[in-house]
């Protein structure tokens, strides 16, 4: 049975990927929480740590934002090498060259607001159910949820992190 690993308040998980999502850098916190060595993750797809409870919809939003050169925030449930899990509040930003071409992606993850995870877990469970019909259903559900909260996706996620 898997167990939850909790990030420490001062933890700062960082990684960089190339345009295809292959890991080109991971810091010590990444390796510690994911329970991998650098050799095991280097040039591997970043989804090596993706937990099966994560809706594809969230990653569609993530990639759509980043391909437009925009940063994005997300709550992500990650899987460790030994199948435990940990939640993060992620900020993913495109890395640009001197001509503003996207050359990769940089992600910083912090301890999530535990109160926000109640909302996120319910939302993600609903998205997973919607995705059984289609990814389009999941996307529409997430857009509708944001609209019902009166916020854009990033505004919603960031406001949940800041809520008391």
């Amino acid at each position: 049975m898997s167990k939850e690993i909790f990030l420490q308040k001062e933890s700062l998980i960082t990684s960089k990927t190339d345009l295809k999502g292959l890991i080109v850098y991971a810091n010590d916190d990444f390796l510690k929480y994911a329970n991998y060595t650098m050799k095991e993750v280097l040039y591997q797809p970043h989804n090596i740590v993706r937990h099966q409870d994560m809706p594809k919809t969230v990653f569609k939003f993530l990639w759509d934002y980043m391909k437009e050169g925009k940063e994005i925030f997300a709550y992500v449930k990650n899987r460790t090498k030994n199948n435990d899990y940990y939640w993060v509040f992620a900020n993913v930003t495109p890395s640009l060259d001197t001509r503003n071409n996207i050359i990769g992606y940089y992600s910083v993850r912090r301890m999530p607001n535990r109160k926000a995870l109640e909302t996120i877990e319910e939302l993600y469970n609903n998205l997973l159910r919607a995705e059984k019909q289609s990814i389009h259903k999941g996307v529409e559900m997430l857009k509708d949820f944001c609209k019902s909260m009166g916020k854009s996706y990033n505004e919603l996620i960031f406001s949940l992190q800041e809520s008391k």
Side-chain angles (χ1 to χ4, degrees):
M1 178 145 216
S2 67
K3 69 178 194 285
E4 183 171 4
I5 307 298
F6 296 92
L7 269 65
Q8 296 173 344
K9 187 171 183 156
E10 66 278 358
S11 296
L12 198 61
I13 298 171
T14 59
S15 58
K16 292 181 183 181
T17 66
D18 65 11
L19 290 173
K20 295 179 182 176
L22 300 180
I23 297 169
V24 296
Y25 168 79
N27 75 343
D28 289 341
D29 277 346
F30 180 105
L31 301 172
K32 176 177 102 176
Y33 286 104
N35 199 27
Y36 283 100
T37 66
M38 181 63 81
K39 186 176 180 179
E40 290 173 311
V41 299
L42 198 59
Y43 304 113
Q44 295 301 309
H46 203 283
N47 67 10
I48 194 172
V49 295
R50 183 179 297 170
H51 195 279
Q52 68 271 13
D53 290 350
M54 279 302 300
K56 290 177 178 66
T57 299
V58 174
F59 293 105
K60 174 157 180 28
F61 265 65
L62 186 135
W63 283 108
D64 287 351
Y65 268 67
M66 290 189 310
K67 286 178 182 174
E68 292 179 11
K70 300 176 186 174
E71 73 176 331
I72 189 165
F73 296 91
Y75 286 95
V76 180
K77 186 177 186 178
N78 285 328
R79 180 180 52 84
T80 68
K81 181 177 164 181
N82 61 344
N83 291 317
D84 290 333
Y85 66 94
Y86 56 100
W87 280 97
V88 297
F89 175 68
N91 173 226
V92 187
T93 308
S95 297
L96 306 173
D97 66 11
T98 56
R99 295 183 186 162
N100 284 335
N101 296 310
I102 299 171
I103 57 171
Y105 304 99
Y106 180 68
S107 180
V108 178
R109 277 93 66 206
R110 297 173 175 83
M111 183 176 77
N113 178 339
R114 297 302 300 181
K115 183 179 175 196
L117 290 182
E118 296 169 15
T119 301
I120 291 298
E121 286 184 287
E122 181 180 347
L123 173 62
Y124 284 9
N125 285 334
N126 290 335
L127 291 175
L128 288 168
R129 280 194 290 282
E131 287 175 3
K132 288 181 180 177
Q133 294 177 43
S134 71
I135 185 75
H136 177 72
K137 291 283 187 193
V139 169
E140 289 305 311
M141 178 179 279
L142 184 51
K143 285 179 180 178
D144 289 346
F145 183 78
C146 292
K147 190 176 180 180
S148 75
M149 301 296 276
K151 298 182 185 309
S152 71
Y153 174 81
N154 265 345
E155 289 172 335
L156 173 66
I157 298 302
F158 198 74
S159 70
L160 287 170
Q161 183 66 11
E162 297 299 309
S163 66
K164 301 290 179 200

